[in-house]
Amino acid sequence: MHRKDLREAGLTRHQVRTEVLAGRWRPLGVHTVRVLEVTLEPVADLWRAVWESGPGAVLDGAAALVAHGMTGFTPASIDVSLPRSASVRRVEGVTTHQRRVLERVSGAGVPRLAPEWATLHAAQWAVSDRQAALLVCLPVQQRLVRAGRLLEAWRGVGRSPRRFFLGQVIPDVCDGAHSLGELDFGTWCRRYGLPLPLRQSLRTTASGRVHLDVEWEGLVVEIDGGHHLLGLNPTADALRANEVALGSTRVLRIPLLGLRLEPSRFMEQVARGLGLPVLASA
């Protein structure tokens, strides 16, 4: 509880102090009081981080995404952003960021940045490129942020410590079909000493005609952009790949993000599929 809420509920400072001295309540900072008989919910730490960090504080980065409903990731620290003019208090387990401009804030529940800006900040503050990619994928896949809104916000970012990497990953995740069209797989093959494949070859299967992303004799590689994870696309992709694999052709699937994060390992698999050694590396 915030001390202000306790006052509005009719409790005086003396009454609050009495409960604390009796060991039934516990102060958790300047503004926050915990009622010990009540089970502590995860959201309590988020409220405390905002209340105790300083005036105008809002959740940011991965913590804001968790407040928006993101699952599959637990932040090591709660990121909080404040206006540059605010007086900041150090709070255990909280990382504060004083910023000249706070972007759009979602006011319902714990104050937090809108999901598109929280996603961009989470990716830029991530401890690794792999974690940054995860923090872009999760909110898009879980429909917490619209892909178009995230792309638009990214175009407005002037400087970023991961500009080149995120400049590839964000379009991959948000508009995978477009990114896939621009991807020159032949460049990757030349880089790793592999023969050039056919692109977008047409194959007739029991279910009709299908276009294959990359093909050599006896081996097909399907490259999955972010759009392959949406709606019924995984079902259609699986049916198409199974039809090809049931013939005499082997099928490898490579996520588009995989070529960004683990190019050597995926291209080594392609080489093994062709029965060739990898002659060069990136």
Side-chain angles (χ1 to χ4, degrees):
M1 296 286 291
H2 195 290
R3 289 179 183 270
K4 179 184 66 175
D5 296 327
L6 293 173
R7 290 195 299 271
E8 291 178 354
L11 278 76
T12 65
R13 293 182 178 179
H14 175 72
Q15 289 172 314
V16 173
R17 188 181 305 113
T18 298
E19 295 297 318
V20 170
L21 292 175
R24 292 184 289 270
W25 294 4
R26 178 186 300 162
L28 297 178
V30 175
H31 302 294
T32 310
V33 176
R34 180 183 174 189
V35 180
L36 296 180
E37 301 90 59
V38 179
T39 301
L40 189 67
E41 299 290 340
V43 72
D45 289 332
L46 303 180
W47 277 111
R48 173 176 171 264
V50 169
W51 288 339
E52 298 297 330
S53 294
V58 297
L59 295 178
D60 203 342
L65 293 174
V66 169
H68 280 294
M70 185 180 74
T71 60
F73 183 84
T74 302
S77 176
I78 299 174
D79 286 299
V80 170
S81 284
L82 305 93
R84 187 168 292 177
S85 59
S87 298
V88 178
R89 288 187 295 271
R90 301 176 71 90
V91 181
E92 184 179 359
V94 176
T95 301
T96 56
H97 310 265
Q98 286 190 277
R99 307 183 55 238
R100 184 173 57 85
V101 176
L102 291 180
E103 294 87 358
R104 190 167 65 92
V105 173
S106 297
V110 189
R112 59 198 184 276
L113 280 194
E116 62 270 21
W117 291 107
T119 299
L120 293 181
H121 296 164
Q124 293 176 88
W125 297 336
V127 298
S128 66
D129 285 348
R130 181 180 293 275
Q131 187 182 93
L134 176 66
L135 289 169
V136 173
C137 288
L138 288 178
V140 173
Q141 292 171 357
Q142 295 174 17
R143 309 296 178 89
L144 301 178
V145 59
R146 295 180 181 177
R149 194 181 288 270
L150 181 59
L151 275 171
E152 182 181 357
W154 171 246
R155 294 188 188 106
V157 174
R159 291 184 295 176
S160 168
R162 284 195 169 95
R163 168 155 293 282
F164 178 76
F165 179 74
L166 293 179
Q168 294 179 315
V169 167
I170 291 173
D172 287 350
V173 174
C174 295
D175 190 11
H178 180 74
S179 294
L180 189 58
E182 291 186 346
L183 178 67
D184 181 5
F185 195 77
T187 299
W188 291 92
C189 292
R190 286 189 291 270
R191 187 178 299 172
Y192 287 88
L194 301 178
L196 295 179
L198 295 175
R199 290 295 310 273
Q200 291 297 312
S201 62
L202 183 64
R203 179 78 66 89
T204 301
T205 68
S207 59
R209 293 184 174 184
V210 297
H211 288 275
L212 305 176
D213 291 334
V214 176
E215 182 179 13
W216 294 267
E217 184 177 354
L219 180 68
V220 165
V221 173
E222 290 286 78
I223 304 170
D224 297 334
H227 64 296
H228 285 265
L229 301 176
L230 302 178
L232 299 178
N233 288 343
T235 300
D237 291 341
L239 287 170
R240 181 177 69 170
N242 290 348
E243 286 289 352
V244 176
L246 286 171
S248 59
T249 303
R250 289 180 295 175
V251 179
L252 296 179
R253 305 199 72 91
I254 301 179
L256 189 52
L257 278 180
L259 285 176
R260 309 298 190 196
L261 295 171
E262 298 281 1
S264 298
R265 296 178 66 183
F266 278 111
M267 295 306 292
E268 191 271 338
Q269 289 181 338
V270 173
R272 284 163 52 198
L274 293 172
L276 299 172
V278 177
L279 301 179
S281 60

